[in-house]
Amino acid sequence: MSTIVNDIEVIKANHTKIHDIDFNNLKFGHVFSDHMLECDYKDGKWHTPKVVPYAPISLDPSAKIFHYGQSIFEGMKAYKDEDDNILLFRPLDNFKRLNISAKRLAIPELPEAFFMDGLKTLLKVDSDWIPKKEGSSLYIRPFIFATGKGFHASPADEYKFIISTAPSGAYFAGKVKVLIEEKYSRSANGGVGFAKAGGNYAGQFYPTQLAVKKGYQQVIWTDDNTHEYIEEAGAMNIFVRINDTLITGPTSDRILDGITRKSIIELAKTEGIPVEVRKITVSEVVEAAKNGTLKEMFGAGTAAVISPIAGFGYKNEDFDLPELENTFASSLKKRITDIQTNKAEDPFGWRYKV
């Protein structure tokens, strides 16, 4: 059970930047709100968080984040409904996953009250930064990194937890073409693929750049051992629709337990869509594309919610997906976003009012 943190200090910014922002033309993650939450781990414990003006951070050159990569993060969104209520989507799942990542990277786990009460305090202070335009939201980035000093290869003794926010428009525009990866891997058994570790994403950039040079926007990651199984789409979980069955890979050491992924699975079941959580072979997807039974592929994640895939490349051959009028991707995305923004009933208890 979470205890309540009543003494979160709020240090207000002297000036607001909000009047300089065009909320009708927001890029994703480029504009930052006035304040951030900050919390330090020192002397063997997490100290009470405080809300401070958004500002650069000063670190010692020997801070272990620079040398040994102890860094984890989460991605969340806040919305406002027509009555200006501030709404979150499954925030406790984000908190729990942050601590799962922390444990794997030998970072001290964060108290639930520090996360939840700190987040709620920050959102109330910067509530005017939550956009109400359709498709927009306040993107929330909680993260923890090692600030302890030293070049010796060991876990740090000091850490910093920050939540910063960015009013943002849509993450992706339109459908994307992807390349099924045959050489590089996102993660491996026994590794940290299931954690939201910063290094996981750093390792993705180079293979993605190679795919972009070939005319694709993203990479479909395959397993590290045989490259026979489809696992993730870029930085997102992946879903494949063959005929009218929706298929996604099981979570593992290599695959992130996505909150949007879990929501899609539950929503699809309530809508009577057959769902299979199992390994998906590349050959199965290629064969389905050739015989016309491959109807849809899409990525699922917090930022884009659902990102449709227009086609994929594999072994120097391109495959286009059919243009359908009523897709699982569009209907499931609408169901999720309607719940998130309080435009529909929430029978699952996912919506969280601040």
Side-chain angles (χ1 to χ4, degrees), residues 36-348:
M36 63 185 188
L37 183 84
E38 194 173 59
C39 180
D40 289 306
Y41 181 91
K42 292 181 179 180
D43 304 319
K45 66 177 182 179
W46 285 103
H47 294 260
T48 303
K50 58 184 177 181
V51 172
V52 298
Y54 184 90
I57 303 164
S58 178
L59 291 173
D60 192 281
S62 72
K64 291 199 173 184
I65 177 58
F66 300 132
H67 308 281
Y68 303 112
Q70 280 183 288
S71 172
I72 57 174
F73 70 95
E74 277 296 322
M76 310 169 65
K77 287 179 179 178
Y79 307 86
K80 270 187 180 175
D81 64 13
E82 292 181 354
D83 297 321
D84 282 340
N85 293 307
I86 300 172
L87 307 169
L88 296 168
F89 185 71
R90 305 185 73 166
L92 286 172
D93 286 349
N94 290 100
F95 163 72
K96 291 172 184 175
R97 192 171 63 185
L98 184 73
N99 273 346
I100 288 170
S101 300
K103 186 174 182 179
R104 180 61 181 85
L105 270 73
I107 294 171
E109 294 179 43
L110 190 74
E112 181 182 316
F114 284 18
F115 183 95
M116 290 301 299
D117 292 352
L119 174 58
K120 289 185 283 188
T121 301
L122 177 63
L123 291 177
K124 289 174 181 177
V125 170
D126 276 345
S127 64
D128 290 345
W129 285 86
I130 305 173
K132 295 180 70 173
K133 183 182 177 183
E134 185 80 20
S136 296
S137 61
L138 185 71
Y139 184 77
I140 302 167
R141 174 54 60 88
F143 58 105
I144 304 175
F145 60 95
T147 56
K149 304 172 188 176
F151 291 147
H152 49 293
S154 62
D157 57 359
E158 295 183 358
Y159 298 85
K160 189 177 285 288
F161 168 56
I162 288 176
I163 302 179
S164 56
T165 63
S168 298
Y171 188 63
F172 288 121
K175 295 184 177 182
V176 297
K177 280 187 65 180
V178 297
L179 179 66
I180 296 179
E181 184 56 53
E182 300 174 54
K183 176 182 178 182
Y184 296 99
S185 299
R186 176 187 171 274
S187 58
N189 286 330
V192 296
F194 67 91
K196 283 192 75 71
N200 288 346
Y201 299 81
Q204 293 184 30
F205 295 153
Y206 176 66
T208 303
Q209 287 176 340
L210 297 180
V212 169
K213 288 179 181 178
K214 295 177 180 179
Y216 303 91
Q217 285 81 47
Q218 267 298 348
V219 166
I220 295 288
W221 300 106
T222 50
D223 69 287
D224 62 305
N225 187 27
T226 65
H227 295 286
E228 293 178 0
Y229 297 96
I230 281 176
E231 297 205 329
E232 292 205 349
M236 310 175 79
N237 295 119
I238 188 167
F239 285 82
V240 174
R241 175 186 172 185
I242 296 179
N243 288 318
D244 286 331
T245 300
L246 201 57
I247 311 165
T248 192
T251 55
S252 65
D253 285 351
R254 303 183 307 276
I255 298 178
L256 186 73
D257 186 13
I259 293 162
T260 306
R261 171 190 175 276
K262 290 190 288 191
S263 305
I264 288 171
I265 291 170
E266 289 194 53
L267 279 171
K269 289 178 178 178
T270 64
E271 293 197 359
I273 297 171
V275 178
E276 295 180 4
V277 179
R278 61 169 176 81
K279 289 185 175 183
I280 312 165
T281 64
V282 176
S283 59
E284 177 184 10
V285 173
V286 170
E287 179 59 29
K290 288 179 177 179
N291 65 30
T293 57
L294 181 64
K295 304 300 183 184
E296 293 181 69
M297 295 172 67
F298 55 85
T302 298
V305 184
I306 288 177
S307 181
I309 293 170
F312 67 90
Y314 181 64
K315 291 191 181 298
N316 299 314
E317 189 174 2
D318 282 335
F319 300 88
D320 293 323
L321 274 76
E323 291 281 347
L324 304 177
E325 285 189 14
N326 300 308
T327 63
F328 288 175
S330 59
S331 64
L332 290 168
K333 182 173 183 176
K334 187 176 188 306
R335 281 289 310 275
I336 290 177
T337 55
D338 282 353
I339 290 172
Q340 290 171 333
T341 55
N342 202 18
K343 293 177 181 174
E345 292 297 316
D346 175 19
F348 308 97

